[in-house]
């Protein structure tokens, strides 16, 4: 009785694009809970990194600010991150710029989902 987005395929395509751009340290930052859309995004992420022979790095992005998120990415030496949240990518971008990091030069950030959707 409803139509749903194919979050797994969309996320897989995004991560495959990051691999195609040469990224070898790609993380997933988002809600790691049981919500179906979050599980589907993680499945797409896992499929893409496995196919590329990369190590998955899953980071809980719930209830953190941009600076904390950036610290997690830098601690894990990530060059790209797929963010499954609607607010965090902007906070992460602001934190990176405050620290003098170039986006996408030093870090690529991709947002999964509709940036205009309320969270």
């Amino acid at each position: 009785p409803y139509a749903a987005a194919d979050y797994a395929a969309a996320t897989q395509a995004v991560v495959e694009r990051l691999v195609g751009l040469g990224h070898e340290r790609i993380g997933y930052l988002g809600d790691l809970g049981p919500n179906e859309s979050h599980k589907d995004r993680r499945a797409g992420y896992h499929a893409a990194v496995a196919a590329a022979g990369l190590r998955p790095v899953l980071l809980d992005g719930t209830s953190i600010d941009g600076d904390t998120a950036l610290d997690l990415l830098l601690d894990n030496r990530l060059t790209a991150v797929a963010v499954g949240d609607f607010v965090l990518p902007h906070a992460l971008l602001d934190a990176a710029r405050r620290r003098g990091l170039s986006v996408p030069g030093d870090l690529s950030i991709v947002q999964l989902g509709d940036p205009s959707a309320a969270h």
Side-chain angles (χ1 to χ4, degrees):
Y2 68 92
D6 189 349
Y7 294 112
T11 301
Q12 184 172 352
V14 166
V15 175
E16 288 171 348
R17 174 79 171 126
L18 291 169
V19 170
L21 292 170
H23 290 283
E24 296 178 353
R25 301 281 304 162
I26 304 166
Y28 176 90
L29 177 67
D31 189 329
L32 303 181
N35 180 291
E36 183 178 1
S37 63
H38 299 295
K39 286 172 39 178
D40 289 349
R41 286 184 177 114
R42 290 192 310 269
Y45 167 79
H46 275 290
V49 295
L54 303 178
R55 186 188 82 164
V57 180
L58 292 169
L59 303 167
D60 186 356
T62 55
S63 302
I64 63 173
D65 61 24
D67 286 300
T68 302
L70 184 58
D71 288 339
L72 287 171
L73 303 182
L74 296 176
D75 288 349
N76 285 279
R77 299 183 336 270
L78 300 178
T79 62
V81 63
V83 184
D85 182 278
F86 301 122
V87 177
L88 191 53
H90 302 289
L92 182 56
L93 177 61
D94 291 342
R97 288 182 174 160
R98 280 193 309 275
R99 296 192 200 180
L101 297 174
S102 168
V103 177
D106 297 312
L107 175 66
S108 291
I109 303 169
V110 294
Q111 179 171 341
L112 307 173
D114 181 359
S116 64
H119 186 60

